[in-house]
Amino acid sequence: MTKFTFIFNTTFFLILLATMCLKAQTIRGTLTDAKTKQPVEFAVLGLFQAGDTTQTIAVATTTSGIGGKFTLNSLKYGKYDLVISMVGYDKKTLTNLVVSRAAPNLNLNKVDMSSSVLNLDEIVVKAKREFIQAGEEGITVKADNNISQQGGSALDILRNIPGVTVDNDGNISLRGTDANILINGRNSALTGTSRGGGLESLPASAIKDINISTNPSAKYDAAGVGGVINIQLKKGVKTGLNALITLGASNRDRYNGSLRLNRRTDKFNWFVSYDARRNARRVWFDNQTDDFTRSDRQSVIIQDRDGDRVDINHSIKFGTDWFINDKTTLSVEGLLGTQTQDEPEFLVSRFGTDRTTLDSTTHTYNTEKEDNKVFEGALIFTRKFDKKGQKLSFSLSSNFGTELETQDVTTNILQLNSTNIDSTALQRSANNNTNNITNIQLDYIHPIGKKMKIETGYKAILRDMNLDFDQEIYDETTQTYVFSEELSNEFKYDEQVHAAYVLFKGKLKKKIGFNFGLRAEQVYLTAKSDNTQNIESKYFNLFPSARITYRVRKGEFFKVSYSKRIRRPRFRLLNPFRDISNPTRIRVGNPELGPELTHSAELGYNKVWSKISFIPSLFYRHTTNVIQRFASFDANSALVFRPVNLGTATDYGIELIVIGNLVKWWDFNASYAFFNREIDARNSETDLITSNTSWNAKLQSNWKLSKNTTLQLTGNYRAPIIRAQGTRQAFHSIDLGFRHRFLKGRATFGLVLTDIFNTRQFGFETTTSEFTSSGIYKRESQILRASLTYQIGKRFKTSIKKGRGNRRRRR
């Protein structure tokens, strides 16, 4: 915990320093309409030095609050001019206001505002933020526009993004391969020990944008063969005091609620949010395995698993931005989260000589509970210089997560052709995991002339993880639980990634842009396990990146890009411990696993017309040392799944994205990807080669039923796709969302039905010379959710920023 001491001490010092710098002098008053005498709320007030005719640098700014009241704080003694602006009112200026030792607190009482027909200086420009926006780096997804996932989680939003797939375990892939998941540009404990579980606890309402780059520049981590998915969280940027309250409920006792507060002044932006969710789902898993290597009565295994999962999540996000001056900002952010899970499960296993002759049965009852906690803290410093475009930024973040999982398992072996119990086995376990990730990052941008700049920086990612698994078996003789050294294990994982990069960006003439970079990464990895030899590994790699864009005209450009990527084996894949929660299907890690490397190339095009946008791209990937789980039987005839480096994989195909707004009442976005995959594992222990053609498609359609009412339909389909030993089956689903705004846009009611036809399920088929295995995994996905949101404070953004003039336009 010493890694957090610096962040806490720095935060306390900054708050103390800011408090000591505050002075008591104020100017206050109340704004009223000159005719109606009603209060004028959310007007923008800027205070300038008396006689300042330019009025470009404000001494202080604020907005009128509820009842039209306003206060300008922390003023020095002197004379001031007060400028008041509000849409629909004439601009009002009060001159030569005196703040002195004799009268340090000036009360203007009531200040009348005169209405006007039109005030061009204060027109607020509003524009719809499309769900998907394309740029040179990749695409940006606006989470607020995804109506059909209101009240859901981060995983629910990711399921509907082009190119992104979320499997039954919550693992996320981009164009079918591993992706690097970041939170606010940083590696997070939410994506550490339990990637799916962490993001499932993150509410969709907390997300602002999701940035996706399949060929990121050398500035970004090289991890993630498929690219980078960066989830940007909301933190509030509106001036004045603002609040957003959300309440939601779903069938089967699912509830969620959140409160977001934001207070922004000329010097500080304070924000805090609280989210709570209760989620309950049933899960089913059916599996059948035929063992061709055996001729006895247990060559066929049929299993049916049925369970419930109840999650209760609480999270608090808080922070402040301190605008030290026009060019320097210091930010402190923090996140606290807790998650409890209750997962009772019932497994029926039937054994026989064929699928119609089953003569042995076991019933397994598993009471599983989890208690997870996470803390994250970040310190971010940004400094701009007098030279336009020159910038220095530094960030230090550290997060710490704990996960305690306990299981009580009872296995009943039934008598042949009977429901009577022949024998019973009892066992229990505790899996105590800790996960600590620290990020240190320094970035510098230096312009070279007017059209070029160089970017360089350093980043360190320090991971420290510990998985401590204790297994106890009940001894009928002593009538006590006995610790099992053979089944217990402690696995300690230490990884350091040190990276430095240099990037050249610029333009040749007016139409051609370029981005060339090189990233160097050094990795140090150590892992210790009770039952196997220690793992020590270190390796160095260079990761070049390149992108060239050609702008035909405004809204139309071509781009060609290349990057080298890496997928490092994570600790769960390296851990040699045997997971025997299902004795017939065992998972085990591989300490000899090496990283896989990918060369990725892409040719893209972007064209924007008045009512439609077209974004096609051709892509190619070649991967060496492909990591996949490989299944084989052990000496006890249990099917063991072990990750191995298979060989090479080649993917190539086309992805099409179309965004349209053909009429005022209807808009849509659609994506389609068609690709071929070939896996060549002839140089490994598997000695096989396989290939297939696959595709996936997603569609989101919005109908504007009225000015404030929108209906949204979202559908997606993924065709079967090959793996080394078989195929992942196709899956498809359709979601329906409804949103209505009322109370002048401050309140929003949402109604969502996910997976309308209850078709979202994941299946697999595996066929080898030794066995065949097939199964279907399904989580309860047909869910009806209702939500209500109410906003307090400003609904538009017009502010006088210190040193940036007195008008600001907002899209």
Side-chain angles (χ1 to χ4, degrees):
M1 297 298 290
T2 57
K3 294 183 179 180
F4 304 122
T5 305
F6 173 71
I7 296 176
F8 282 132
N9 290 342
T10 303
T11 305
F12 177 77
F13 170 75
L14 292 175
I15 294 174
L16 180 62
L17 179 62
T19 303
M20 293 173 63
C21 292
L22 295 178
K23 296 181 175 60
Q25 290 78 249
T26 63
I27 296 177
R28 65 181 67 244
T30 302
L31 301 184
T32 58
D33 188 294
K35 291 184 178 180
T36 66
K37 303 303 178 183
Q38 294 297 313
V40 178
E41 301 173 346
F42 313 120
V44 179
L45 298 92
L47 191 68
F48 302 88
Q49 294 290 345
D52 182 0
T53 57
T54 62
Q55 293 185 352
T56 56
I57 301 179
V59 174
T61 64
T62 189
T63 56
S64 57
I66 303 299
K69 297 182 181 299
F70 68 88
T71 302
L72 293 156
N73 294 305
S74 308
L75 304 179
K76 296 180 180 180
Y77 300 131
K79 288 185 178 182
Y80 300 99
D81 293 341
L82 179 63
V83 179
I84 308 170
S85 301
M86 179 65 185
V87 176
Y89 289 87
D90 292 330
K91 184 164 66 175
K92 191 176 187 71
T93 302
L94 303 178
T95 61
N96 294 321
L97 303 177
V98 179
V99 177
S100 63
R101 292 185 182 276
N105 299 301
L106 179 60
N107 191 342
L108 301 178
N109 297 315
K110 290 186 178 181
V111 179
D112 289 334
M113 299 287 292
S114 300
S115 60
S116 63
V117 177
L118 180 65
N119 186 341
L120 293 177
D121 285 343
E122 295 300 331
I123 290 179
V124 178
V125 180
K126 293 184 179 180
K128 179 181 176 182
R129 300 202 321 163
E130 293 180 339
F131 178 61
I132 298 175
Q133 296 179 351
E136 294 183 5
E137 189 75 44
I139 64 173
T140 298
V141 177
K142 305 298 181 182
D144 284 343
N145 287 0
N146 197 343
I147 301 173
S148 61
Q149 301 309 324
Q150 291 181 138
S153 69
L155 289 183
D156 294 318
I157 294 181
L158 289 169
R159 286 188 178 98
N160 292 309
I161 294 178
V164 178
T165 301
V166 182
D167 69 12
N168 53 296
D169 293 323
N171 297 309
I172 301 163
S173 60
L174 186 54
R175 287 183 178 172
T177 57
D178 177 70
N180 187 19
I181 313 298
L182 305 176
I183 306 291
N184 287 339
R186 302 185 294 270
N187 304 89
S188 169
L190 290 175
T191 61
T193 56
S194 180
R195 173 174 294 175
L199 290 181
E200 194 166 34
S201 67
L202 181 65
S205 60
I207 300 174
K208 178 187 176 184
D209 298 331
I210 299 178
N211 307 115
I212 296 177
S213 179
T214 51
N215 261 342
S217 69
K219 180 178 180 178
Y220 295 91
D221 296 342
V225 170
V228 173
I229 300 176
N230 183 23
I231 300 174
Q232 294 284 348
L233 303 183
K234 297 175 181 177
K235 69 175 185 178
V237 294
K238 295 182 179 180
T239 55
L241 179 63
N242 302 273
L244 187 68
I245 305 170
T246 301
L247 297 173
S250 309
N251 55 315
R252 285 202 65 202
D253 293 329
R254 302 179 182 94
Y255 308 101
N256 66 279
S258 67
L259 172 64
R260 308 189 187 286
L261 297 174
N262 159 227
R263 170 66 176 172
R264 180 161 185 153
T265 64
D266 187 55
K267 276 289 185 182
F268 291 95
N269 176 40
W270 306 89
F271 56 92
V272 63
S273 66
Y274 169 71
D275 292 278
R277 302 182 67 218
R278 184 188 189 275
N279 191 26
R281 292 189 181 185
R282 287 192 65 195
V283 295
W284 302 269
F285 178 65
D286 299 329
N287 175 70
Q288 300 181 76
T289 302
D290 291 271
D291 182 359
F292 302 144
T293 64
R294 302 188 58 177
S295 58
D296 59 17
R297 67 183 183 89
Q298 291 189 6
S299 60
V300 175
I301 304 173
I302 299 178
Q303 293 184 311
D304 300 306
R305 179 181 296 178
D306 191 354
D308 283 286
R309 175 173 173 172
V310 178
D311 301 343
I312 299 177
N313 304 289
H314 299 272
S315 65
I316 299 175
K317 187 176 184 294
F318 54 91
T320 181
D321 300 316
W322 179 18
F323 310 111
I324 300 173
N325 54 45
D326 293 343
K327 296 181 173 62
T328 309
T329 302
L330 184 65
S331 301
V332 178
E333 298 178 5
L335 183 145
L336 295 169
T338 65
Q339 179 188 49
T340 60
Q341 296 179 8
D342 192 358
E343 302 179 65
E345 181 182 273
F346 177 53
L347 172 65
V348 177
S349 302
R350 295 183 291 274
F351 308 87
T353 54
D354 57 57
R355 299 193 179 195
T356 58
T357 308
L358 302 174
D359 47 24
S360 178
T361 305
T362 63
H363 289 175
T364 303
Y365 303 86
N366 183 3
T367 303
E368 181 177 328
K369 297 180 182 294
E370 285 191 29
D371 185 3
N372 305 326
K373 295 180 177 63
V374 62
F375 168 77
E376 299 191 8
L379 179 70
I380 306 161
F381 174 82
T382 303
R383 168 67 178 175
K384 297 180 180 178
F385 299 90
D386 293 336
K387 190 173 184 178
K388 185 178 180 180
Q390 187 180 8
K391 181 181 177 181
L392 176 70
S393 59
F394 171 79
S395 66
L396 170 65
S397 65
S398 191
N399 48 72
F400 183 78
T402 64
E403 177 183 326
L404 176 60
E405 176 187 295
T406 60
Q407 296 186 71
D408 280 288
V409 181
T410 301
T411 301
N412 294 325
I413 302 175
L414 304 185
Q415 294 178 357
L416 187 63
N417 299 322
S418 171
T419 58
N420 296 326
I421 298 175
D422 190 31
S423 62
T424 299
L426 302 176
Q427 55 184 330
R428 65 187 185 189
S429 64
N431 193 4
N432 193 0
N433 302 331
T434 59
N435 174 24
N436 183 206
I437 304 176
T438 297
N439 297 270
I440 304 171
Q441 186 163 350
L442 178 68
D443 299 290
Y444 175 69
I445 303 174
H446 188 85
I448 304 175
K450 294 183 179 181
K451 295 183 178 181
M452 295 178 59
K453 60 183 176 180
I454 182 173
E455 298 185 19
T456 186
Y458 163 81
K459 182 176 182 180
I461 306 173
L462 312 177
R463 291 186 175 92
D464 179 14
M465 304 178 188
N466 186 44
L467 288 75
D468 189 1
F469 182 82
D470 292 336
Q471 180 82 31
E472 296 180 327
I473 299 176
Y474 189 76
D475 188 330
E476 292 287 350
T477 304
T478 61
Q479 298 288 296
T480 59
Y481 280 95
V482 179
F483 177 76
S484 172
E485 292 188 5
E486 180 183 357
L487 299 178
S488 301
N489 182 65
E490 183 175 12
F491 185 69
K492 296 180 179 180
Y493 177 91
D494 242 330
E495 182 187 59
Q496 295 185 26
V497 181
H498 298 273
Y501 74 91
V502 61
L503 194 68
F504 294 92
K505 300 171 65 175
K507 292 184 179 181
L508 300 176
K509 298 182 179 181
K510 292 183 178 180
K511 293 188 175 183
I512 300 177
F514 64 88
N515 185 322
F516 299 115
L518 181 66
R519 187 179 187 90
E521 292 191 353
Q522 175 69 55
V523 178
Y524 300 96
L525 172 65
T526 60
K528 300 178 181 180
S529 176
D530 289 345
N531 302 320
T532 61
Q533 188 175 0
N534 295 341
I535 305 168
E536 290 189 8
S537 176
K538 62 179 180 179
Y539 50 89
F540 174 83
N541 284 289
L542 293 175
F543 299 95
S545 70
R547 181 169 64 246
I548 298 176
T549 59
Y550 177 75
R551 292 194 172 274
V552 182
R553 57 182 63 87
K554 185 178 180 180
E556 182 180 7
F557 64 84
F558 290 89
K559 69 174 180 179
V560 58
S561 60
Y562 162 82
S563 67
K564 182 181 176 182
R565 314 290 300 164
I566 188 172
R567 180 190 178 190
R568 303 184 189 91
R570 301 300 297 272
F571 61 96
R572 289 191 183 277
L573 296 179
L574 295 172
N575 189 355
F577 176 66
R578 293 167 64 91
D579 178 2
I580 59 169
S581 55
N582 183 347
T584 65
R585 300 177 65 85
I586 297 173
R587 288 196 173 194
V588 62
N590 179 6
E592 299 179 357
L593 205 61
E596 65 178 40
L597 295 169
T598 295
H599 296 273
S600 175
E602 184 173 342
L603 173 63
Y605 174 71
N606 186 87
K607 173 63 177 176
V608 179
W609 290 275
S610 59
K611 295 185 177 181
I612 196 166
S613 300
F614 181 49
I615 312 169
S617 60
L618 297 171
F619 62 89
Y620 171 87
R621 279 198 310 259
H622 181 73
T623 304
T624 57
N625 262 6
V626 175
I627 299 174
Q628 284 195 13
R629 289 192 180 272
F630 185 75
S632 60
F633 285 104
D634 67 2
N636 298 319
S637 297
L639 200 57
V640 179
F641 294 85
R642 179 174 176 266
V644 297
N645 292 116
L646 288 175
T648 65
T650 302
D651 299 86
Y652 57 88
I654 184 171
E655 183 177 68
L656 306 174
I657 299 176
V658 180
I659 304 170
N661 191 2
L662 303 180
V663 291
K664 291 183 178 180
W665 51 267
W666 179 55
D667 66 82
F668 69 92
N669 66 80
S671 65
Y672 173 80
F674 179 84
F675 58 93
N676 184 81
R677 167 169 291 180
E678 179 178 296
I679 298 176
D680 186 347
R682 288 175 294 184
N683 296 326
S684 73
E685 59 187 276
T686 60
D687 193 25
L688 58 86
I689 183 170
T690 182
S691 66
N692 86 323
T693 299
S694 185
W695 61 278
N696 58 67
K698 297 185 180 184
L699 171 67
Q700 186 179 93
S701 182
N702 301 292
W703 292 273
K704 200 170 183 62
L705 306 182
S706 68
K707 178 182 178 181
N708 297 313
T709 307
T710 304
L711 185 68
Q712 183 179 90
L713 187 70
T714 303
N716 67 76
Y717 176 86
R718 190 191 71 183
I721 186 170
I722 62 164
R723 292 183 62 80
Q725 290 180 296
T727 304
R728 283 186 177 179
Q729 297 178 1
F731 75 85
H732 55 93
S733 64
I734 296 178
D735 301 333
L736 183 65
F738 171 84
R739 181 172 66 190
H740 176 69
R741 301 185 187 276
F742 56 102
L743 295 181
K744 297 182 179 181
R746 292 188 179 278
T748 302
F749 172 74
L751 191 64
V752 175
L753 177 60
T754 62
D755 197 11
I756 298 174
F757 302 106
N758 201 25
T759 57
R760 186 183 295 157
Q761 62 184 30
F762 300 86
F764 67 91
E765 295 177 356
T766 303
T767 301
T768 72
S769 59
E770 295 184 343
F771 69 92
T772 62
S773 182
S774 62
I776 293 177
Y777 180 98
K778 180 168 177 56
R779 300 176 63 186
E780 186 179 7
S781 54
Q782 192 176 57
I783 300 171
L784 181 64
R785 292 195 297 257
S787 64
L788 180 64
T789 301
Y790 185 75
Q791 184 173 348
I792 302 172
K794 294 183 64 179
R795 292 171 45 239
F796 51 87
K797 184 177 180 181
T798 304
S799 63
I800 302 175
K801 287 285 291 177
K802 189 172 182 180
R804 298 184 183 177
N806 68 338
R807 285 179 296 166
R808 189 170 182 178
R809 306 180 80 199
R810 180 197 176 194
R811 292 190 65 197

